[in-house]
Amino acid sequence: MMEKPSLDSSEDRAWLGEGQSETQLTTVAGPDGVETSNEDRPAWDSKLQYVLAQVGFSVGLGNVWRFPYLCHQNGGGAFMLLYVFLLLIVGVPLFFMELAAGQSIRQGSIGVWKHISPRLAGIGYSSCMVCFYVALYYNVIIAWSLFYMGNSFQYPLPWQQCPIDVTINDTVNECARSSPTSYFWFRKALNITNSIEESGEFNPIMTGCLLAGWAIVSLAMIKGIKSSAKVMYFSSVFPYVVLFIFLIRGLMLDGAMEGITYMFYPKLEIWGNMQVWRQAATQVFFALGLGYGSVIAYSSYNPIHNNCHRDALMVSGINFMTSVLASLVVFVVLGFRAKNIALHCVAENLGQLNLMASHESNQHWWPWFNMTDTSSVSLAEYREWYSHYTSMVGPKITDCSLEEEMKKGIEGTGLAFIAFTEVMAVFPASPFWSTLFFLMLLNLGLSTMFGTMQGILTPLMDNFSLLGRHRTLLTVSSCALGFIIGLLFTQRSGNYFVTMFDDYSATLPLIIVVIFETISVAWVYGTDRFLDDIEVMLKWRPPVVYKYLWKYVCPLAMVGLLSASLLRMVFKRPTYTAWNQSTASEMTLAYPGWALAMIVFLIVFASLPVPIGYVHSILKRRRVSSTPSLDGRSQVMHRELYTKCSSVEQMDSSPRRAPSEENDVLPRPAFLSVGNEHYRLLPQQEEEDEEEQDTGV
């Protein structure tokens, strides 16, 4: 251990000029150069409150309707093994990095990366932009959940049967050609157009639900973490209660075990498919909420010696187990649904056979079972008979395969608002199950929305003192702006824009953000210094494996994911799934030119702050360095920038930040304040304050 250097040498002055001031954590310079203390920063009331907030943010709708679909499409158990592997070597290290950075610097995403170097401030602004994109369309999903939950308080459920067209006194054609649940979703809920090019008028009911969604978010966030954390006690725990209830109920359904078997059966050959690796890495990336800035924002309210390493492992583990639990629920429901469809197919085919039997007789291939009592015929019996006489029965008689039905993957809104509603409609006491399910979706969406909004509000309040002094006004204004822009999603073509934002607005910018985050910690600040700072916080040093994961594995994995995503966009023209009203079916359409331009704009606009922040810092440094010294004594400039504070003043200004004696001799320019002597920038050097914090790399 080296002794702490004094300020009497040019080397020491360079250290303080190019590195970080030791007072940086406890007294962070505000946007106008005035130092602000972290003593008045809000804090979590308990560790449980913080864990629920992190779990609530990271566990979202993607765990319920995206992860099960990826398992379904990509080899079941084999995909899970691949997911766990990528989670351990990429997900957990990056999650731990964000937790440690936020906890040590006690700033939002803008302040954290600006603290390492002013040239990196754009990373935080990009995170805020992506958070705003996600908040815009995520709250629309909350609005949909509110709409369905409101329609669940009636019996029978409105999507249980097709409505009657009074003009022809017959079933509505669109519903008859699809299904009651599909008709209710596309026509009653969305009143959707045939393509994104047909905008249509605003959907008044969905507009009202969107307003209600933003009002709930605004009220929950209006007092910062003090108000949102109290809501988290319910919104983070309730979905688990519902998932377990659905799992218990689902295991009693006919076809549940077939669904679970399909889920866990490993198909190891998928490991040779690079697209599966890309999908698994993307799911790890988004499941933990990396790059949004919300993880950093939440951890910045922690006490300095909180064990963030244990938090990273715990939250990542809970997140994965939640995905597995949700997959179990989804697969038992899909197994039940697939078996119902297969048995319905058997009944229809037996009906056709009965018609054929009335015209023909004594055919040697007639089934040996009773065709008149369709309920007594098992699926296995029918399939055994069909396998023997496939070539003789004609085209009207088809195979009825449960496995083929299970292969038809359903994800996203199709899973929640069509497949699940179809199953719940046949449950006894269906309104109860429907209300429970959509209340769960509502809470999953809200807990993620709280974290997303925190990723926007915390950095802005930390870096702009005016906004920090008007927290309530900022929160309400942000929600109002989100509602106004969100009207784009409540027009009849709004669902297509939700798909566009979900597929393209966040993916590439977030990957770029995390790449720069990793480079800034591993290569700009330095992994050894970062581990030193974590050692001061945790009182023990994390394993050295993190050094190599941060420096090599994580950046390479992120660059590979970015390259794969870009290549996929270039070589496979972006498409979306549209609903055709005349055919009552879905079809895949290519985005028109203006929509492609919109996609490019969204990606570029969210990514631009990174290079702009870098160029702005370079230009500002050159402007400052070209300004001649007023007194001609530039050689002693750095020495005059600092004044030593007494230990009494230090204790008065930040009593909670007093370091332990064993750290007094650490010489490094670190995230943390170490030592009993602090140095503070004088007010007259406000203009150069930001540049004094550059790491010099």
Side-chain angles (χ1 to χ4, degrees):
M1 301 289 285
M2 297 173 59
E3 291 187 3
K4 179 177 171 180
S6 67
L7 295 179
D8 295 333
S9 67
S10 59
E11 181 182 351
D12 299 332
R13 292 195 299 271
W15 169 62
L16 283 170
E18 297 177 3
Q20 300 300 322
S21 165
E22 288 185 283
T23 58
Q24 191 63 30
L25 179 61
T26 54
T27 52
V28 181
D32 47 6
V34 179
E35 292 179 355
T36 60
S37 173
N38 277 311
E39 285 304 304
D40 58 352
R41 187 174 184 80
W44 300 106
D45 290 338
S46 65
K47 182 62 176 284
L48 176 62
Q49 201 177 72
Y50 163 69
V51 171
L52 288 177
Q54 286 286 19
V55 169
F57 168 68
S58 65
V59 174
L61 296 171
N63 296 75
V64 174
W65 66 34
R66 181 65 179 167
F67 184 87
Y69 170 77
L70 292 175
C71 282
H72 181 276
Q73 294 295 96
N74 297 313
F79 179 83
M80 285 192 180
L81 293 175
L82 179 59
Y83 180 87
V84 171
F85 172 71
L86 292 174
L87 180 68
L88 292 176
I89 69 165
V90 177
V92 172
L94 291 176
F95 192 61
F96 177 38
M97 182 187 76
E98 289 198 357
L99 288 178
Q103 182 174 305
S104 60
I105 301 176
R106 295 175 68 77
Q107 287 278 291
S109 57
I110 297 174
V112 162
W113 308 115
K114 188 176 180 181
H115 177 90
I116 294 178
S117 171
R119 300 178 186 181
L120 303 174
I123 297 175
Y125 288 101
S126 284
S127 293
C128 289
M129 283 303 307
V130 175
C131 277
F132 190 64
Y133 285 167
V134 173
L136 288 176
Y137 76 83
Y138 218 84
N139 227 28
V140 178
I141 301 173
I142 292 176
W144 294 341
S145 301
L146 284 171
F147 174 79
Y148 265 82
M149 190 173 71
N151 279 277
S152 297
F153 294 100
Q154 50 186 302
Y155 185 81
L157 292 171
W159 52 82
Q160 193 162 340
Q161 54 193 10
C162 286
I164 301 298
D165 187 344
V166 294
T167 59
I168 60 174
N169 197 28
D170 196 5
T171 304
V172 174
N173 183 54
E174 185 181 3
C175 183
R177 300 183 67 174
S178 54
S179 69
T181 52
S182 296
Y183 175 79
F184 187 85
W185 167 241
F186 288 113
R187 191 55 50 213
K188 293 297 184 181
L190 302 178
N191 194 20
I192 200 166
T193 57
N194 289 333
S195 73
I196 196 172
E197 297 183 90
E198 304 172 27
S199 60
E201 66 275 5
F202 285 109
N203 185 329
I205 298 177
M206 279 303 167
T207 302
C209 291
L210 182 64
L211 179 62
W214 277 111
I216 294 171
V217 172
S218 179
L219 290 173
M221 299 287 299
I222 204 162
K223 295 297 183 183
I225 63 169
K226 293 297 183 184
S227 55
S228 63
K230 290 179 173 59
V231 182
M232 289 286 185
Y233 282 115
F234 179 78
S235 65
S236 295
V237 175
F238 181 73
Y240 289 96
V241 176
V242 176
L243 284 174
F244 276 110
I245 291 175
F246 266 95
L247 179 61
I248 295 170
R249 179 66 182 88
L251 289 173
M252 302 176 186
L253 299 173
D254 186 22
M257 296 315 297
E258 287 89 339
I260 293 177
T261 302
Y262 190 93
M263 169 186 168
F264 282 107
Y265 183 78
K267 301 171 185 174
L268 300 179
E269 62 272 11
I270 62 101
W271 288 356
N273 187 341
M274 291 308 299
Q275 282 302 313
V276 175
W277 284 78
R278 182 190 64 81
Q279 290 179 332
T282 304
Q283 181 61 22
V284 168
F285 185 79
F286 285 105
L288 295 176
L290 301 173
Y292 287 90
S294 305
V295 172
I296 294 174
Y298 276 159
S299 64
S300 71
Y301 299 117
N302 270 334
I304 195 64
H305 294 300
N306 173 64
N307 191 338
C308 55
H309 182 260
R310 182 177 59 199
D311 294 342
L313 295 174
M314 178 170 58
V315 173
S316 300
I318 292 174
N319 188 294
F320 172 68
M321 295 310 298
T322 304
S323 297
V324 174
L325 173 62
S327 297
L328 285 171
V329 173
V330 167
F331 274 86
V332 297
V333 169
L334 291 182
F336 169 70
R337 178 175 179 267
K339 193 155 190 179
N340 267 3
I341 293 174
L343 289 175
H344 181 69
C345 169
V346 169
E348 285 189 339
N349 284 329
L350 291 180
Q352 288 288 335
L353 286 172
N354 280 321
L355 287 175
M356 294 170 66
S358 64
H359 296 89
E360 303 178 48
S361 60
N362 300 321
Q363 294 286 351
H364 69 279
W365 48 265
W366 287 130
W368 54 83
F369 43 76
N370 184 5
M371 294 189 296
T372 58
D373 184 11
T374 58
S375 61
S376 65
V377 181
S378 71
L379 184 59
E381 285 179 324
Y382 175 83
R383 295 206 68 202
E384 184 184 354
W385 168 82
Y386 185 84
S387 65
H388 283 88
Y389 302 106
T390 304
S391 59
M392 303 178 186
V393 294
K396 291 185 178 181
I397 307 302
T398 60
D399 188 16
C400 299
S401 171
L402 186 147
E403 289 76 17
E404 288 301 317
E405 289 298 329
M406 286 295 299
K407 287 180 181 177
K408 297 176 182 177
I410 305 174
E411 67 168 326
T413 53
L415 176 64
F417 299 106
I418 297 177
F420 257 83
T421 52
E422 184 180 317
V423 171
M424 288 183 294
V426 300
F427 280 3
S430 54
F432 167 77
W433 294 104
S434 180
T435 304
L436 203 61
F437 176 73
F438 288 109
L439 187 59
M440 178 193 73
L441 288 189
L442 177 64
N443 281 276
L444 281 172
L446 285 174
S447 57
T448 302
M449 267 298 295
F450 296 153
T452 304
M453 291 301 294
Q454 205 69 55
I456 302 171
L457 301 177
T458 297
L460 294 178
M461 290 187 293
D462 285 344
N463 284 270
F464 300 97
S465 56
L466 179 63
L467 298 178
R469 291 194 296 268
H470 298 88
R471 178 193 302 271
T472 301
L473 181 61
L474 174 65
T475 303
V476 174
S477 301
S478 300
C479 292
L481 179 63
F483 169 71
I484 293 171
I485 300 177
L487 292 175
L488 169 71
F489 306 109
T490 63
Q491 56 184 340
R492 290 182 59 194
S493 61
N495 184 51
Y496 304 135
F497 288 98
V498 170
T499 303
M500 176 195 292
F501 270 67
D502 188 32
D503 289 342
Y504 300 106
S505 70
T507 306
L508 291 180
L510 275 183
I511 297 172
I512 293 170
V513 164
V514 174
I515 288 173
F516 278 99
E517 284 183 2
T518 311
I519 291 173
S520 64
V521 168
W523 295 97
V524 176
Y525 189 75
T527 50
D528 288 324
R529 292 169 65 192
F530 191 52
L531 287 171
D532 289 343
D533 297 329
I534 295 175
E535 183 179 3
V536 173
M537 283 198 303
L538 304 185
K539 307 292 186 181
W540 58 273
R541 192 174 184 84
V544 72
V545 67
Y546 282 110
K547 173 180 177 179
Y548 300 102
L549 291 173
W550 286 330
K551 289 190 74 171
Y552 306 110
V553 177
C554 293
L556 289 175
M558 289 294 102
V559 170
L561 180 58
L562 178 63
S563 303
S565 301
L566 283 172
L567 289 173
R568 187 170 182 270
M569 284 188 63
V570 171
F571 291 107
K572 184 181 179 183
R573 182 184 173 95
T575 59
Y576 67 101
T577 303
W579 176 260
N580 188 290
Q581 184 174 4
S582 58
T583 62
S585 62
E586 292 182 318
M587 55 185 181
T588 301
L589 300 177
Y591 281 108
W594 63 265
L596 291 175
M598 185 175 178
I599 290 171
V600 172
F601 172 78
L602 290 172
I603 294 171
V604 171
F605 190 68
S607 307
L608 268 181
V610 176
I612 288 177
Y614 186 85
V615 172
H616 174 265
S617 178
I618 294 293
L619 295 177
K620 187 173 182 180
R621 173 181 284 274
R622 288 179 179 176
R623 186 175 68 250
V624 171
S625 62
S626 63
T627 303
S629 175
L630 295 177
D631 56 4
R633 292 179 296 172
S634 59
Q635 295 298 320
V636 294
M637 178 68 74
H638 285 299
R639 176 179 290 183
E640 294 178 354
L641 289 178
Y642 295 90
T643 178
K644 186 180 293 186
C645 302
S646 69
S647 59
V648 175
E649 181 184 348
Q650 173 201 334
M651 294 300 292
D652 290 341
S653 62
S654 90
R656 288 197 299 180
R657 314 298 306 185
S660 58
E661 293 181 2
E662 62 266 27
N663 296 325
D664 289 352
V665 294
L666 293 176
R668 64 187 175 279
F671 282 172
L672 295 167
S673 111
V674 284
N676 291 325
E677 294 180 338
H678 285 225
Y679 295 90
R680 185 174 59 204
L681 293 176
L682 290 175
Q684 62 263 31
Q685 300 298 335
E686 293 163 9
E687 185 178 0
E688 297 184 18
D689 176 25
E690 192 173 62
E691 301 305 318
E692 290 295 327
Q693 298 173 23
D694 199 333
T695 58
V697 178

